[in-house]
Amino acid sequence: MNWVEHSMWWQVYPLGFVGADVTGEDRACRRPVSALIGWLDYVTELGLSGLALNPLFASSGHGYDITDHFALDERLGSEQDLRELVDACHQRGLKVMFDGVFNHVGRNHPLVQQALAEGPTSSANQYFRITWPQDWQPGQPPSSVDCFEGHEALVSLDHSSPAVAELVTEAMCHWLELGIDAWRLDAAYAVPLDFWTRVLPRVRERHPEVYVVGEVLHGDYPRIVQESGMDSVTQYELWKAIWSGLRDRNFFETAWSVGRHDDFLDSFVPWTFIGNHDVTRLASQVPTPEHQPHALVMLMTLGGTPAVYYGDEQAFTGEKTQTWHGDDAIRPAMPDSPQELLPYGWPTYRLHQELVALRRRHAWLHRARTQQLHLTNTQYAYRTSGEGGSLVVALNLDATPAGIPVDGVHQVEAGSADIQQDGHLVVLPPNGWAVLG
């Protein structure tokens, strides 16, 4: 899939974007998912080439409590609205990714309700791990129902069941046949790896160009990719090390994870990000505004398939909390058009444009490896190299200028620096950064 090497994504949480009621109490469609069409030129002008959409399937509330894998959520409009969006993306050269919620379903899913109503003899039981009393009688509840991470509203699928493999295979192919190009596999870390070996080859047989990335928080990323047949997994280790290193003024943490990242690139290309729908926004995680650009610099100069979470390119703030509605602040509604955005975020948008354009000029960055050149708590320099070229990245977190020794460089491609000593020393301004060739 050569197209993936040139892909960079804008990730959107659709229910939030259109202002839907994520409690599910109000099922009205306030704006259809096709409202995103008015933002696609904004995405292409940013320089990105893909639209990654969080759950669109019919669900009870927040989108991850699925009630039908084959239907669009009514709060997002009609399937025709969705087709119009996919077609509009493709007309602009944008790929489309859907969020596959295949680890669990909502408790209101018809198959769950059928199993609970009919008991242990129900044909719906094969989809779930439900334990029934030996002397079960009609109307009697089960002894236990396996749920996802203790959430009773999210009933886990039984991935050892052929019926579940069939359901997931057909659901993935259904939407690929509608025209999408890629899948994000939600909670892939919770699904047995051999399940994907029974599903993905069948999907690829019908859709050989599909790109599949799994949500994995931690663990042996290369083994997970190899044994599952997925193309990639989410690089949470790097995400954490980037914002934490900046916030705590500890580039040693960042550099250690960059080294780990290099090892991963030996076997696959990770999905990289500095924000998504499940985490506190970068502008809230890194309280020093002058240090926030450094995160984007690293995202766009390290190997990987980068994604930008909607609003991050406008310096949105938002904190995720472990409370009811704790995700609302990071999944906001957006206006009808980019022209209605407030003015304060546009400098960050233009910085994204600059660094995305730099990455496009150096397509080899997709699989780039790094060489550490200089490291202190508050300064970090590395050479990033691949087939076709190399760049030097220098970062300074101090409120004073910093002289950083580097390999020979000749010009500043982005940022600001004074090149001295025939290209072997760069002087960065306070809190500055530079990408050098």
Side-chain angles (χ1 to χ4, degrees):
M1 295 171 298
N2 293 335
W3 66 266
V4 177
E5 297 178 9
H6 303 281
S7 67
M8 289 183 272
W9 299 81
W10 198 51
Q11 183 196 349
V12 171
Y13 178 75
L15 289 169
F17 190 100
V18 303
D21 175 15
V22 294
T23 69
E25 294 178 6
D26 179 359
R27 307 298 301 179
C29 177
R30 299 173 183 176
R31 284 188 298 168
V33 70
S34 55
L36 272 160
I37 294 173
W39 286 78
L40 297 184
D41 291 342
Y42 171 93
V43 178
T44 58
E45 289 165 9
L46 195 57
L48 303 178
S49 57
L51 179 64
L53 297 167
N54 286 117
L56 299 130
F57 305 150
S59 71
S60 297
H62 46 62
Y64 290 95
D65 44 358
I66 301 299
T67 56
D68 188 344
H69 284 98
F70 298 88
L72 179 70
D73 195 293
E74 61 189 323
R75 292 167 290 172
L76 295 172
S78 67
E79 186 171 299
Q80 181 59 32
D81 292 314
L82 182 58
R83 288 181 181 275
E84 290 175 4
L85 174 60
V86 173
D87 289 345
C89 285
H90 289 161
Q91 288 166 11
R92 291 164 173 80
L94 294 169
K95 299 291 187 179
V96 181
M97 175 183 287
F98 274 15
D99 197 346
V101 187
F102 301 130
N103 175 67
H104 51 267
V105 298
R107 203 170 191 91
N108 291 329
H109 193 288
L111 288 172
V112 176
Q113 293 300 304
Q114 179 185 347
L116 295 178
E118 295 178 353
T121 61
S122 174
S123 61
N125 266 321
Q126 64 185 317
Y127 292 93
F128 312 107
R129 295 188 293 271
I130 301 176
T131 303
W132 297 94
Q134 289 186 349
D135 56 350
W136 179 85
Q137 298 295 322
Q140 189 175 3
S143 302
S144 65
V145 178
D146 276 10
C147 296
F148 176 53
E149 296 182 348
H151 299 290
E152 292 187 0
L154 304 178
V155 178
S156 298
L157 290 165
D158 182 355
H159 295 96
S160 67
S161 168
V164 172
E166 182 69 18
L167 169 69
V168 173
T169 299
E170 291 307 311
M172 292 181 74
C173 288
H174 172 80
W175 297 108
L176 287 164
E177 285 154 14
L178 180 135
I180 73 165
D181 308 282
W183 281 101
R184 171 193 181 269
L185 302 178
D186 178 64
Y189 59 88
V191 178
L193 296 181
D194 65 357
F195 175 78
W196 301 117
T197 66
R198 288 180 278 126
V199 168
L200 294 182
R202 295 171 61 193
V203 173
R204 294 189 196 280
E205 184 177 356
R206 291 154 67 177
H207 302 278
E209 288 296 304
V210 63
Y211 172 58
V212 180
V213 56
E215 182 196 15
V216 177
L217 307 184
H218 48 70
D220 188 344
Y221 291 165
R223 181 186 66 83
I224 292 169
V225 170
Q226 180 180 7
E227 294 185 12
S228 68
M230 293 182 285
D231 298 297
S232 183
V233 295
T234 51
Q235 226 301 29
Y236 268 91
E237 284 190 19
L238 185 65
W239 159 77
K240 195 273 180 182
I242 288 176
W243 66 257
S244 181
L246 295 172
R247 187 190 66 183
D248 298 340
R249 295 165 57 86
N250 178 17
F251 271 137
F252 284 94
E253 177 187 359
T254 308
W256 187 86
S257 288
V258 169
R260 288 261 299 171
H261 185 69
D262 263 9
D263 292 340
F264 300 151
L265 283 157
D266 289 337
S267 55
F268 76 101
V269 179
W271 174 274
T272 54
F273 59 95
I274 51 177
N276 67 28
H277 65 295
D278 278 331
V279 300
T280 293
R281 286 193 182 268
L282 178 78
S284 295
Q285 287 280 28
V286 180
T288 303
E290 295 85 355
H291 296 165
Q292 293 165 13
H294 298 51
L296 183 63
V297 171
M298 285 186 273
L299 177 67
M300 291 299 168
T301 59
L302 295 171
T305 300
V308 176
Y309 184 53
Y310 82 110
D312 281 359
E313 78 286 350
Q314 291 282 341
F316 279 18
T317 58
E319 183 179 355
K320 179 184 174 71
T321 61
Q322 300 302 321
T323 60
W324 188 248
H325 296 299
D327 293 319
D328 289 359
I330 58 173
R331 302 175 179 181
M334 297 292 271
D336 289 334
S337 73
Q339 288 71 37
E340 298 176 52
L341 291 166
L342 296 175
Y344 73 89
W346 288 102
T348 301
Y349 180 89
R350 289 189 286 273
L351 177 63
H352 276 71
Q353 284 181 310
E354 178 184 9
L355 290 168
V356 170
L358 179 143
R359 192 177 183 92
R360 291 225 169 276
R361 293 196 302 272
H362 302 286
W364 51 264
L365 281 165
H366 182 68
R367 287 188 171 272
R369 306 299 201 279
T370 59
Q371 174 193 1
Q372 182 177 300
L373 303 178
H374 180 73
L375 180 63
T376 69
N377 280 334
T378 54
Q379 281 94 40
Y380 181 32
Y382 57 87
R383 178 175 292 279
T384 182
S385 304
E387 291 185 13
S390 69
L391 296 168
V392 169
V393 178
L395 308 168
N396 176 28
L397 300 183
D398 284 339
T400 56
I404 297 180
V406 297
D407 288 349
V409 296
H410 307 288
Q411 63 182 7
V412 178
E413 294 218 10
S416 178
D418 180 20
I419 300 174
Q420 300 180 5
Q421 297 182 9
D422 294 326
H424 293 283
L425 180 74
V426 296
V427 179
L428 297 177
N431 301 305
W433 61 270
V435 182
L436 309 114

